[in-house]
Amino acid sequence: MKTIKTIPVYNLKSQKLTSIYVADLKAIKEETIDTNFFDVQDEFIIIKNKFFKSEHLVRYKKCYIQMQELSFERDPNVNYKKVLFILESPHRHEYNYDKGFQTKMPLSGSLNTFRTSFNQLMTEITEEDSAYEVTLYNPVPYQTSLHYLFRKSVQERTRFNFWLHGWWNMKYHRDFDQYLERNAFDYYINASTRAYKSIISFKLSTLIATEYQVYHPGSGFWNRKEVNFGIKKIIHLDDSHCMFNLPEKEEALW
């Protein structure tokens, strides 16, 4: 039997946000710890409120795609189809660590792949050629991978538990509700990674009729010679497509 030791990660209200492996704690380099945001002790870590300030939140960004041309300026002479492209939370490429943890935009690390492949994705979904106004949206808009602290990848369950804290305890699921209620789209594409896909899909099932699920653009599936988007069309007549039905508040799964 393998024994794995973990330590808790708290916020300043003493809420446990997640837990990390002791081996990950040992990997943290003292010179890279930003004490504005983290208090690292031998038996616990505290994430300070400044970590969640608005300057560190990567919320959503609109872009305009026609064929393989991507722009951030709307052409008034073009009739765009509106697409909500849902991720789950910002990845490490969406921050500039060398400039005080500055935010970039969603999909910063995969934007070129996204630009060159998005039109093909929509052709497979719609069987027609069009121009698209695409909103890249992170339901939990802060860095749940904690890459800024560890400067390396950590266990998926560490990130997932931290993500759940934002989704439920910080009530970003309600922000997502309100955003969907205020904004209508022609297509809703759930491109979150596997651990988060069913939770986001369950939320979508309460508000929209049709959802498309695809692989995350950062995955190798988008970079193959013959791209594999993994498209699934979900008709939300009920919630039977979900792996599990989440109550109004769900604790971490581990």
Side-chain angles (χ1 to χ4, degrees), residues 113-140:
T113 298
F114 182 75
R115 175 186 63 80
T116 58
S117 301
F118 182 78
N119 195 71
Q120 180 182 340
L121 167 66
M122 295 309 298
T123 300
E124 292 187 22
I125 287 176
T126 69
E127 298 183 352
E128 63 182 37
D129 192 14
S130 186
Y132 299 96
E133 176 188 289
V134 185
T135 301
L136 304 173
Y137 189 95
N138 285 308
V140 175

Side-chain angles (χ1 to χ4, degrees), residues 164-190:
L164 283 179
H165 170 72
W167 181 252
W168 294 119
N169 297 333
M170 298 181 74
K171 303 189 188 308
Y172 281 117
H173 70 287
R174 292 185 181 175
D175 288 357
F176 192 40
D177 273 346
Q178 292 168 5
Y179 186 81
L180 290 173
E181 289 168 358
R182 292 194 308 265
N183 298 277
F185 296 88
D186 298 297
Y187 301 98
Y188 298 81
I189 300 178
N190 180 357

Side-chain angles (χ1 to χ4, degrees), residues 85 190-192 197 213-217 219 221-222 228-231:
F85 197 85
N190 180 357
S192 57
K197 202 169 233 95
Q213 295 184 358
V214 302
Y215 295 133
H216 191 283
S219 73
F221 293 105
W222 281 61
N228 177 11
F229 298 110
I231 302 170

Side-chain angles (χ1 to χ4, degrees), residues 142-177:
Y142 58 80
Q143 191 188 78
T144 59
S145 67
L146 289 175
H147 200 280
Y148 187 51
L149 173 62
F150 295 101
R151 307 300 171 105
K152 73 180 192 72
S153 298
V154 294
Q155 295 293 323
E156 179 62 31
R157 89 173 163 186
T158 295
R159 179 185 171 198
F160 185 67
N161 288 349
F162 194 21
W163 188 90
L164 283 179
H165 170 72
W167 181 252
W168 294 119
N169 297 333
M170 298 181 74
K171 303 189 188 308
Y172 281 117
H173 70 287
R174 292 185 181 175
D175 288 357
F176 192 40
D177 273 346

Side-chain angles (χ1 to χ4, degrees), residues 69-80:
E69 296 296 322
L70 184 150
S71 172
F72 297 107
E73 298 293 331
R74 182 184 184 93
D75 185 337
N77 299 313
V78 175
N79 183 26
Y80 295 97

